[in-house]
Amino acid sequence: MSSANGAKPAHGIASKLFDLTGKTVVLTGASYGLGEMMAKGLASAGADLVLAARSKDSLEAVTSECAALGVDATPVVADVSDEYDVKRIVDAAIERHGKIDVLVNNAGISDMRGLPAENFDMETFRRIVDVDLFGAFMLARDAGRHMLAAGSGSIINICSIMASGANELNVIAYTGAKGGLLNLTYQLGCEWADRGVRVNAISPGFIVTPMTAPALDALGVSEYIASRTPMRRVGNAEELLGPLLFLASDASSYVTGLNLLVDGGTNASNGYYQIRPGHHGWGEMLGAPTVGNTFEGLAPLPERLVPWTGGVPGIHYSMPSEAGE
Ligand code: NAP
């Protein structure tokens, strides 16, 4: 295929869009969970890495695995809620590479106690905000100074679907902190837009990590989440890599202030039902062709909702007899 002026498109241009060779990426929360997957994925795209977390042994193990992929990888044992530690992370990147091209604010904590808001303690609330919001801001601020001086950079804040909506898990501090981080993303994305620094968010839905899978499967939470997700399943860690590489690389050079939801459609819906709506059966009952709905619901339909055979008086249109009518 040729372009309008007859020139052939450069071979391999698409794969180069996501190439991070020669880029320095600072990634927090790299010792396990989603951060471990991100570290290896960024290394496989060619990025040199500065990896931060508190657990020394796990962090060093992930660093070694990344280095084995042929990139320069440096571990920095640090707590992102500590301003001095944040400075050490940024200084380590500048001393080793002289620049920071990409910052991924992934370190985060939540709270699985299920406490209702009216009983929530301020010690836990402050700790979650300290790590998820203040930590991410301090890193953005300190790394951002170097990026602004260089006139380029990409910051990616790992938020959550809980940053832009409520849920039933009773995690008021997490919801508040991630909501703050998303608004901070919008603010920085605009404030630094004309100085070459892009700031975006990735908001995962519910992702099973090796660490969370056993507990969540045991509690059945995965099944609840899947039932209210339009794709009717939870996500896999690897499904975050494409969005991450997109925002980290020049593929997104005109994208800033974006909240990239990776959530199986959750945020697009205004609430998906956990039992199958009764009128889904109308087409079958009336003999009309239907497009299959694979979701059978978490529970059998309550008796009073089952026989909607006659439709709803006054608003029931007749069913088409063939597809497309
Ligand atoms: P995870 O398995 O608990 O991993 C959290 C990571 O953050 C670990 O590497 C942990 O390492 C690090 N970390 C925690 N506190 C830290 C601190 N004070 N300083 C430095 N590092 C710290 O969690 P995850 O599921 O991978 O989640 C990663 C990010 O995605 C979080 O921001 C989370 O809110 C977000 N997210 C996750 C999901 C999901 O379903 N999994 C959904 C939406 C958003 P150390 O303990 O070694 O410090």
Side-chain angles (χ1 to χ4, degrees), residues 29 31-32 34 54-55 78-80 106 108 158-159 174 178 204-205 207:
S31 54
Y32 51 84
L34 299 179
R54 294 164 306 168
S55 314
D79 182 333
V80 299
N106 168 67
I158 306 301
C159 292
Y174 185 76
K178 291 292 186 178
I207 310 280

Side-chain angles (χ1 to χ4, degrees), residues 28-36 38 52-56 58-59 78-82 85 89 105-110 127 130-132 158-162 174 178 181 202-209 211-212 216 240:
T28 67
S31 54
Y32 51 84
L34 299 179
E36 178 178 357
M38 290 178 192
R54 294 164 306 168
S55 314
K56 186 171 184 290
S58 326
L59 184 66
D79 182 333
V80 299
S81 69
D82 182 314
D85 276 10
I89 297 168
N105 271 320
N106 168 67
I109 52 172
S110 186
R127 180 65 193 154
D130 258 348
V131 176
D132 294 9
I158 306 301
C159 292
S160 166
I161 43 169
M162 295 182 197
Y174 185 76
K178 291 292 186 178
L181 184 58
I202 292 177
S203 282
F206 194 84
I207 310 280
V208 178
T209 58
M211 194 191 172
T212 57
L216 293 169
L240 289 178

Side-chain angles (χ1 to χ4, degrees), residues 201-284:
I202 292 177
S203 282
F206 194 84
I207 310 280
V208 178
T209 58
M211 194 191 172
T212 57
L216 293 169
D217 286 348
L219 294 172
V221 172
S222 297
E223 211 177 331
Y224 279 110
I225 302 283
S227 74
R228 65 195 284 275
T229 303
M231 283 192 184
R232 302 295 193 193
R233 66 176 179 84
V234 295
N236 299 310
E238 290 69 25
E239 290 178 301
L240 289 178
L241 184 56
L244 181 70
L245 295 182
F246 168 65
L247 291 177
S249 67
D250 294 340
S252 58
S253 57
Y254 196 49
V255 178
T256 197
L258 173 74
N259 181 23
L260 206 171
L261 289 142
V262 186
D263 67 352
T266 300
N267 209 67
S269 81
N270 59 3
Y272 253 47
Y273 306 131
Q274 297 184 350
I275 55 176
R276 198 177 175 208
H279 70 287
H280 280 191
W282 280 352
E284 288 159 36

